[in-house]
Every structure is written in C-alpha cells, then in structure tokens.
Amino acid sequence: MKLRYSCLLLCGHLVLCFPAIWMPAAAKAADEPSGQRPGCPSKCGEVDIPFPFGIGPQCAMQTFYDFKIDCLSSNGSSNKPFFRGAEVTKLSVSDGKASMNMNISTYCYDSSSGTTKTRGASADFSDSPYWISDKDNKVVVIGCQTLAYMQINFALTGCVLQCTEDFSPMNGVCSGAGCCELDFPNGTWYYNSYFNENYNNSQIWKTNPCSYMAVIETTAFNFNATYVNSTIFYDTYKGVTPLALDWIISMESCDEAKRNTTSYACISGNSKCVSEPKGGYRCMCNDGYEGNPYIKDGCKDIDECLDNTTYPCNGICKNTMGGFTCSCYPGSSMMDGGSIGLVVFVIAIASAWIIRERRKLQHIKQQYFRQHGGLLLFEEMKSQQGISFKIFSEEELQQATNKFNEQQILGRGGNGTVYKGLVKGNIEVAVKRCMTIDDKKKKEFGKEMLILSQINHKNIVKLLGCCLEVEVPMLVYEFIPNNTLFHLIHGNHGRQITLDTRLQIAHESAEALSYLHSCASPPIFHGDVKSSNILLDANLSAKVSDFGASILAPTDESQFVTLVQGTCGYLDPEYMRTCQLTDKSDVYSFGVVLLELLTCKKPINLFASEHEKSLSVRFLTAMNGNKLEEILDEQIKNDSNLGFLQEIAELAKQCLEMSGANRPSMKEIAGKLDTLRKVRQHPWEEQNLPELESLLGEHVMVNSQVMSSTRNFSIEENVIMGLKSGR
Ligand SMILES: *[C@@H]1O[C@H](CO)[C@@H](O)[C@H](O)[C@H]1NC(C)=O
Ligand SMILES: *[C@@H]1O[C@H](CO)[C@@H](O)[C@H](O)[C@H]1NC(C)=O
Ligand SMILES: *[C@@H]1O[C@H](CO)[C@@H](O)[C@H](O)[C@H]1NC(C)=O
Ligand SMILES: *[C@@H]1O[C@H](CO)[C@@H](O)[C@H](O)[C@H]1NC(C)=O
Ligand SMILES: *[C@@H]1O[C@H](CO)[C@@H](O)[C@H](O)[C@H]1NC(C)=O
Ligand SMILES: *[C@@H]1O[C@H](CO)[C@@H](O)[C@H](O)[C@H]1NC(C)=O
Ligand SMILES: *[C@@H]1O[C@H](CO)[C@@H](O)[C@H](O)[C@H]1NC(C)=O
Ligand SMILES: *[C@@H]1O[C@H](CO)[C@@H](O)[C@H](O)[C@H]1NC(C)=O
Ligand SMILES: *[C@@H]1O[C@H](CO)[C@@H](O)[C@H](O)[C@H]1NC(C)=O
Ligand SMILES: *[C@@H]1O[C@H](CO)[C@@H](O)[C@H](O)[C@H]1NC(C)=O
Ligand SMILES: *[C@@H]1O[C@H](CO)[C@@H](O)[C@H](O)[C@H]1NC(C)=O
Ligand SMILES: *[C@@H]1O[C@H](CO)[C@@H](O)[C@H](O)[C@H]1NC(C)=O
C-alpha cells in the first residue's frame, strides 16, 4: 500500500497509469489464499499448510513424492495435521523445514504383573519428501539399568546406562549419569528403537520405574535430574518429542529439474532453485521477495519500508522491486545552504564509509591473526618467557621491504617470494611471503612457527618473527648474505672450493639436521634437504633453511606429488613408496648433498643418457665398480687424499641405502663428519706416529659418544689405511 502512496507523491502525473497496472494483480492476490492453491485450505487447525503440501490429493503437489497431509479430528477436538500417523506441527516453505511429533519409546517395569512393558517407537520416511535432519536432532536415552539401541537406516547405535551407588545426575548434563545422547547420522529416513531384555528395572523400579529413548530436536531437550527417577520426562512431553525434518521437492538436481518445464516446481517469478547437499532440490524466492515459490506469482516483493527494524532507513524510504532505496530528508540546511550542504553531506558520508572500511579491515586482520593461531602463539609466549620472537605488523614489513619492491627480491620459490628487508633501520632480514595455503594448514601455522621460533642453532637460519595479520602469513628470517650451497657449487664457475670448506659445510649441515631430529621436541623432519636450502654466511658457514614447509606439510598424496616436483633428485625412494616422511628421508637427501659436494655435479642431469641422469645412480654404479675416482670433482681429487675421499663417499653410500633402516642417523653422520674434519685439520704429511696415536685416542672418544648401538663405523681403521696408502 505504501508503495503506491509514495509513487503518487513522487511521480506526479504518472499516477493514473499506475493503478491500472497494479490493481488487478492486487485484486487477484486477494482471493488466493496465501501460499496455497485456489480453493484449497491453507490451514489445518493451527498449522499452516503451504503448497506443495495439501490436504487431499487435488490440493497436494504430485511428484514422485507424496505431499498429502491428513487433517484429522480426534475425539471431537480441533483438527490436527498428520503424516503417516505422526502429528505435523510445522511446514515451512522458506527454509525447507518441517517438524513432527514422534513417540517416545518406553521400557517400564510393572510391579503388579512382574513384567516389563515396552512401547517401541519408529519412523519411516522412505519414499517421502522428508529427511530426518542430522544437525537439528539427537538421540537421548534416559535410565539406570538399560541397554537401549536404535537402528538408523541400516546401522545400529546405542548406549548402556548403569547407575552406581554414588551416581548423581546433574541438570543440563547428559553424559552418562542417568542420561546419554548420540548424534544423529545424516541422510536418515528410518529409525526403530529397541531395549535389550537383559537389562530391566525389576530390581530398582521403586526409584527408577522406566527407561526412555527418544529422537528429539536438540533445542527442545534439556536434561533434568528428576527424569531418571520418575515419569516426569514422559509426562513433560506428553509422550511425544519434536523431530526436525528437512524436505525436498524431488530427488533431481536443479539442472535436471529445469530441463522438464512441466514438472519444474519453482514456477513463481522471482524464484530460484536450490540444490540440497543430500540430493534433490527445493525452491526459494529471490532476495527481496517473500512468499511461496511453488505457486504462480507466489513470490511477492517485500515492502521494506513497512519494517524499519529489519530494514532501517533514517530518511525517505522508497520501496523498489526486490529492494528499496533510502534517501535523505529534504532538510532545511540543504534547502538554504545549497551546494555547501551537499558537500558537507558527501564528506560526512565518505568519511563514515572510510571509517567503516577501516574497521572492516581491522576486523579482517584480526580474523587472519586468529586463523593463523596468533592467539595460541601469544598465550604460549606469555607462559614461556625469553623467546626472542617478534610478531611484525603488515605495515612494518611493507616498510621494511619498500612495499615488497621487485628489486628487494632475493629469490622465488614454488611457495613464495623472499624479499630482503631492513627493520628498525639497520637490521637486515629476509621476509618470506608465502603463497596461499589452505584453511586447515593456516590453523596449525601458529603452533608450528612456535616450534621453529624456539630453535636456536648456529647452523639453522633463525626465524626472527612473523606476520599473522595478512591473508597469507609472512615469515621473517635473519638475512644470510652469501647465497646457497647450490649456487656455490653449480653457479660459480672456476672458483676454488677447498675440500676443507666442503667438509665444513657438510658437517655443519649435518649438525643442524641432527639437532632437528634429536634435540627438537617434537622432532622436526626437514623433508626438503637440498643444496639450495643450505644458505651460506659471510664465512661460508652453513645455515639450513626452509624447513617450515616440511613441517606444515601433512603426509598425504597431494604433498607427495608436490614434493616429487619440487626436489627431484633428492627424494628418498622409500618415501616415494610409503608416502611417510621420516628422519631417514632427510638422511637420504643429505646423502645426495654429499655427492654434490664430492662431485660438483647436479643431482639430476636431464640431458644425460638414461643411465647417467641421476647422480645417485651414477655414483652407486661407480662405487660398486670401484671407479669412484672417475666421478669425483677434479678440484679436490688428489693422489694423496683418495683414501680420505673414499671415506666420505662410503658415508654418502650409506645415506643412499634403499631401506631407511639401513641408513645411519643424522647424529651418527654428524659425528663421522666431525671426525673426518678433525683428521683433516691436522697436518698429515708431517705427522709422526706418537702424535697420530694421540689423535686416534681422540677419535675413539668422539665416536663412542656418537655411536648408538645400531651401527658400527670403523672409521679409524679406514682413515689410517687411507693415510698409509696415501704415504
Ligand atoms: C476423548 O475425549 C474425552 C472427553 O473430552 C476424554 O475423556 C477422553 O480421554 C478422550 N479420548 C482420547 C483417546 O483422547
Ligand atoms: C505412537 O504410539 C501410539 C500408541 O501409544 C500409536 O497409536 C501411534 O500410532 C504411534 N505413533 C506413531 C507415529 O508411531
Ligand atoms: C530382568 O532381567 C533379568 C536378567 O538381567 C531377567 O532374569 C529377568 O527375567 C528380567 N525381568 C523382567 C521382568 O524382564
Ligand atoms: C553427510 O553429509 C556430508 C556433508 O554434508 C556429505 O558429504 C555426505 O554425503 C552425507 N552423507 C550422507 C549419507 O548423506
Ligand atoms: C526439573 O523438573 C522439576 C519437576 O518438573 C522442576 O520442578 C524443575 O524446575 C526442573 N529443573 C530444571 C533445572 O529444569
Ligand atoms: C529424584 O532425583 C532428584 C535428583 O537426583 C532428587 O532431587 C529427587 O528427590 C528424587 N526423587 C525421588 C522421588 O527419589
Ligand atoms: C516431464 O514431467 C511430466 C510430469 O511429471 C512427465 O509426465 C513427463 O514425462 C516429463 N517429461 C520428460 C521429458 O521427462
Ligand atoms: C519507523 O521509524 C520511525 C522514526 O524513524 C518511528 O517513528 C516508527 O515508529 C518506526 N516504525 C516501526 C514499525 O518501527
Ligand atoms: C610448497 O609447499 C609444500 C607444502 O606446503 C611443499 O610440499 C612443497 O615442496 C613446496 N614447493 C616448493 C616448490 O617449495
Ligand atoms: C660473501 O659475499 C660477499 C658479497 O656479498 C663477497 O664479497 C664475499 O667474498 C663472500 N664471501 C665468501 C666467503 O664467499
Ligand atoms: C666469521 O668469522 C670471523 C672470524 O672467525 C668472526 O669474527 C665472524 O664473527 C664470523 N662471521 C659470522 C657472520 O659468523
Ligand atoms: C694434494 O692435496 C694437498 C693438500 O690437500 C696439496 O698440498 C697438494 O698440492 C695436492 N696435490 C695435487 C697434485 O693437487
């Protein structure tokens, strides 16, 4: 009504043509009962019966399903709607819900006859439009000496209740003391309830006369301790509990349904089809419309201007089809001040908008922060003082990296970009900006960063902090200036890399991995050990990096695939078979890094012949054919140190064992490399025997610390032999 009125005011001379268009529609709507076919009752007793439901066959929709509702009067009382014997209390078109009263199943001891009486309860909604809602219902059992179970579709579920001496049921708590509840599975159309006869109340009937089982709408149930020792439960609900149902028009999907225009049910204008997750479809009015989408012209425009609580408008409200507009009152200041008033108004609106957007942004940031486990991190940090880990704001990092300037990029990986940055004016950092990771991973992010932040090892790149308030988290690491080991070996032609430097890098990397495996709690498996993940500082000291990705990664198939792509040539063959990342996977990859150091060759050479593609295969072939010499890097190969190199090669070979169990642990490897370094650091050629002996004593000591019972290294003998042959 108001719509027409405002139109009169606003449209002036157009007023005459409007009633001509609008009146017939209005008149037609008037003699059609709302939401029902013409001539069909829209109510049964107190309950609305909207189409497609109907009383009698000609009023109900005919699809594969039966939408017929029985409207019965029992015992002269007022009419009530029923479906297959159950009383219907709600049928709703707008949300596709329905509600019915279902019998409570009872199991009561009758002292006069000395028998136990059962009233079963079941429901069967097969071949009907209704499903039992899994979200809105649960199964409850009340009793003290009972085993109640329920067949739901083809599955059984149930619980046993036995009251102990000191049992005390608590109001509102249904978890084993006199009451138990079970979730309802989804996709349910059938249930039947049973009580096991070996449990009954014959011994306790004076205090516990009955056991009950019911399917009940979750919001309608609140356990009361008196339910256990009385019939109050049954009486309160008058023997029936409300059951929440979902309904659909037919089992077809929207696309299928739309193909047959004669049977497609969403016939009202301004209506749409919605597919249900369980299958099938139902209809809805478009936004801004309400009414019944299943009848012609059933969806009517909502006059938002009549309801200024749901649709607030502090001005002139004007209804439109499917919406409304809200314009300001023609206030006096605007009339007088003219354009100035308008400008002030625009500014006010604009600043209000900016403030709102800012708030929204703030809100979003906080949400990301929470998603990434920021709160968890804060909590943890409060309890563990002394973590030198900082949470950076997005602004700080933008400033540090000159707004993520291209020129600041240090490297790009499959998972993100690393920028060089300066924080607090002079501290160099590397900011890693990850590509989007999925929601599940985000939640675990904070916790895993906490683990990383606690790692403090001189050969592991230090995580200084992170930024959690952006959609994708950013990590801030200490800046390591001299590129990666990969770059040193493969990207830097002609430059001498001494054997000592190589040994140092190998040893330090091994120490770092050993620390991750044995000292971190819980142990951390790097998962992506390769020369390009070993950074080098100004002294060419190794800093293992990029272990964040491996911890984030679950061991599922998707990760399996990406890893194969990402680190071809380093991958543990056992991991490829089992998909299970272990410490020994890192050992295998480390073995490949050792090979790179020994041979200066890349782990995979795509241009080589089939047999030579993989460095590890080439290496193992060479080792087995006693041709190690051929594959070693010319730079370090030397008549006097072949035995020594053989020793390193032997270690690499052990790392590359097919079975993880046969590979040494990272701790053992680090110990061995340490020994080898110590041997190197002594001036061999000039050494005389007594000094050598004292040196050996030292090795034995080092090794006894390192050797865990499983493996047996005979390093000293080999070193001496290498030494002797070298002489
Ligand atoms: C029928 O109505 C009478 C009187 O109103 C009542 O006493 C009786 O219990 C009712 N019977 C049923 C089955 O509801
Ligand atoms: C509920 O139980 C009564 C008997 O107590 C029975 O007559 C009625 O059919 C049952 N209702 C349903 C829906 O099973
Ligand atoms: C109650 O259960 C016991 C077994 O637990 C059985 O021996 C007895 O007959 C049952 N009594 C009744 C009335 O069902
Ligand atoms: C249960 O619900 C989930 C998600 O809503 C769905 O993927 C699954 O198919 C449903 N199961 C049945 C039996 O309907
Ligand atoms: C429990 O039921 C008794 C009896 O019906 C009632 O007096 C009491 O208020 C109920 N308590 C709660 C917490 O609902
Ligand atoms: C039933 O149990 C409730 C709560 O445990 C208690 O308050 C009440 O006195 C009991 N009633 C009888 C009759 O035992
Ligand atoms: C379309 O639906 C009508 C009514 O259900 C049915 O009679 C007809 O066979 C259907 N047409 C097709 C092509 O499926
Ligand atoms: C709508 O708002 C006006 C003032 O803006 C108020 O007087 C009136 O009571 C409101 N109407 C409703 C239905 O809330
Ligand atoms: C990207 O991250 C996933 C796990 O988050 C990891 O498995 C994969 O190896 C990474 N890819 C690259 C190229 O680093
Ligand atoms: C480290 O890199 C700097 C330049 O960034 C270079 O001057 C220096 O020689 C490098 N140090 C080593 C040991 O390679
Ligand atoms: C490099 O080595 C020198 C001498 O041992 C030392 O003073 C310096 O701190 C080292 N630099 C780094 C970055 O470790
Ligand atoms: C062999 O290596 C030693 C030290 O590693 C070096 O002094 C010697 O010159 C090398 N000999 C050759 C032939 O490269």
Side-chain angles (χ1 to χ4, degrees), residues 472-589:
V472 287
M474 291 189 279
L475 303 176
V476 182
Y477 295 99
E478 66 175 321
F479 178 70
I480 310 294
N482 277 37
N483 229 314
T484 68
L485 177 60
F486 184 88
H487 186 259
L488 181 74
I489 300 175
H490 307 296
N492 156 347
H493 305 287
R495 193 174 141 190
Q496 277 279 330
I497 317 161
T498 66
L499 182 55
D500 287 323
T501 301
R502 297 180 202 212
L503 257 184
Q504 176 200 327
I505 294 171
H507 173 231
E508 286 172 343
S509 311
E511 288 288 353
L513 292 172
S514 164
Y515 175 87
L516 289 175
H517 290 179
S518 329
C519 303
S521 169
I524 297 166
F525 304 146
H526 188 291
D528 202 4
V529 174
K530 53 182 172 183
S531 56
S532 55
N533 277 343
I534 297 172
L535 304 180
L536 301 171
D537 76 1
N539 291 343
L540 293 187
S541 214
K543 303 269 186 178
V544 172
S545 78
D546 206 16
F547 40 89
S550 64
I551 289 158
L552 278 178
T555 46
D556 62 12
E557 281 173 44
S558 61
Q559 181 222 13
F560 168 67
V561 172
T562 47
L563 257 172
V564 167
Q565 285 171 348
T567 55
C568 218
Y570 295 90
L571 251 186
D572 173 9
E574 190 175 60
Y575 169 54
M576 290 172 74
R577 217 170 45 240
T578 61
C579 288
Q580 202 162 19
L581 191 70
T582 67
D583 54 342
K584 297 298 175 69
S585 309
D586 284 352
V587 170
Y588 184 93
S589 308

Side-chain angles (χ1 to χ4, degrees), residues 209-280:
C210 291
S211 301
Y212 302 105
M213 169 150 61
V215 181
I216 187 166
E217 202 170 326
T218 309
T219 52
F221 181 71
N222 187 15
F223 179 63
N224 183 322
T226 60
Y227 290 172
V228 185
N229 59 6
S230 66
T231 58
I232 289 176
F233 174 65
Y234 190 87
D235 301 341
T236 304
Y237 289 94
K238 298 192 174 70
V240 290
T241 48
L243 176 72
L245 298 142
D246 301 320
W247 59 269
I248 52 173
I249 277 292
S250 88
M251 267 315 286
E252 294 163 300
S253 70
C254 282
D255 288 340
E256 288 162 356
K258 279 173 187 165
R259 267 181 234 139
N260 188 340
T261 44
T262 44
S263 64
Y264 181 54
C266 311
I267 58 167
S268 171
N270 300 310
S271 73
K272 63 185 173 195
C273 179
V274 283
S275 290
E276 286 292 313
K278 284 193 272 270

Side-chain angles (χ1 to χ4, degrees), residues 50-120:
F51 192 73
F53 303 98
I55 299 159
Q58 63 275 44
C59 287
M61 188 186 275
Q62 297 298 320
T63 70
F64 177 73
Y65 294 139
D66 188 5
F67 288 87
K68 194 159 68 71
I69 295 291
D70 304 315
C71 191
L72 304 174
S73 146
S74 60
N75 201 10
S77 68
S78 65
N79 286 341
K80 282 178 179 169
F82 288 88
F83 176 79
R84 294 186 187 172
E87 186 188 339
V88 178
T89 54
K90 186 182 101 173
L91 292 169
S92 167
V93 157
S94 58
D95 57 3
K97 301 245 174 231
S99 196
M100 297 185 193
N101 286 339
M102 308 311 291
N103 282 346
I104 295 173
S105 172
T106 65
Y107 192 61
C108 300
Y109 183 74
D110 178 10
S111 54
S112 59
S113 64
T115 57
T116 298
K117 293 200 163 134
T118 313
R119 180 215 201 194

Side-chain angles (χ1 to χ4, degrees), residues 390-636:
K390 182 174 178 338
I391 304 225
F392 292 88
S393 71
E394 190 185 3
E395 216 175 346
E396 263 176 294
L397 293 186
Q398 263 184 353
Q399 217 167 36
T401 57
N402 199 4
K403 296 200 173 128
F404 300 105
N405 194 309
E406 287 275 317
Q407 293 183 336
Q408 304 287 106
I409 292 181
L410 292 171
R412 277 201 181 95
N415 283 333
T417 311
V418 184
Y419 298 82
K420 186 176 177 179
L422 272 183
V423 295
K424 297 209 189 102
N426 59 354
I427 304 171
E428 286 182 317
V429 295
V431 180
K432 182 173 171 190
R433 207 183 187 193
C434 306
M435 280 179 2
T436 324
I437 52 175
D438 63 56
D439 276 350
K440 204 178 82 194
K441 283 182 185 164
K442 278 181 188 173
K443 283 234 171 91
E444 295 164 10
F445 199 82
K447 193 170 173 191
E448 277 146 7
M449 273 197 307
L450 186 81
I451 298 170
L452 297 189
S453 68
Q454 286 170 315
I455 290 176
N456 190 1
H457 189 277
K458 66 179 171 36
N459 298 116
I460 295 176
V461 68
K462 189 132 186 58
L463 186 68
L464 300 176
C466 64
C467 173
L468 299 170
E469 63 183 35
V470 281
E471 186 183 7
V472 287
M474 291 189 279
L475 303 176
V476 182
Y477 295 99
E478 66 175 321
F479 178 70
I480 310 294
N482 277 37
N483 229 314
T484 68
L485 177 60
F486 184 88
H487 186 259
L488 181 74
I489 300 175
H490 307 296
N492 156 347
H493 305 287
R495 193 174 141 190
Q496 277 279 330
I497 317 161
T498 66
L499 182 55
D500 287 323
T501 301
R502 297 180 202 212
L503 257 184
Q504 176 200 327
I505 294 171
H507 173 231
E508 286 172 343
S509 311
E511 288 288 353
L513 292 172
S514 164
Y515 175 87
L516 289 175
H517 290 179
S518 329
C519 303
S521 169
I524 297 166
F525 304 146
H526 188 291
D528 202 4
V529 174
K530 53 182 172 183
S531 56
S532 55
N533 277 343
I534 297 172
L535 304 180
L536 301 171
D537 76 1
N539 291 343
L540 293 187
S541 214
K543 303 269 186 178
V544 172
S545 78
D546 206 16
F547 40 89
S550 64
I551 289 158
L552 278 178
T555 46
D556 62 12
E557 281 173 44
S558 61
Q559 181 222 13
F560 168 67
V561 172
T562 47
L563 257 172
V564 167
Q565 285 171 348
T567 55
C568 218
Y570 295 90
L571 251 186
D572 173 9
E574 190 175 60
Y575 169 54
M576 290 172 74
R577 217 170 45 240
T578 61
C579 288
Q580 202 162 19
L581 191 70
T582 67
D583 54 342
K584 297 298 175 69
S585 309
D586 284 352
V587 170
Y588 184 93
S589 308
F590 181 78
V592 179
V593 173
L594 271 184
L595 292 191
E596 281 181 271
L597 282 166
L598 282 176
T599 64
C600 258
K601 293 183 171 57
K602 290 185 184 170
I604 287 282
N605 183 356
L606 291 176
F607 304 107
S609 66
E610 193 59 43
H611 222 70
E612 311 233 295
K613 267 198 174 68
S614 156
L615 178 57
S616 49
V617 170
R618 255 184 94 179
F619 167 78
L620 291 172
T621 313
M623 279 293 270
N624 291 339
N626 270 329
K627 290 180 190 156
L628 175 67
E629 244 178 291
E630 289 176 13
I631 198 176
L632 289 175
D633 182 19
E634 294 296 334
Q635 269 192 14
I636 52 167

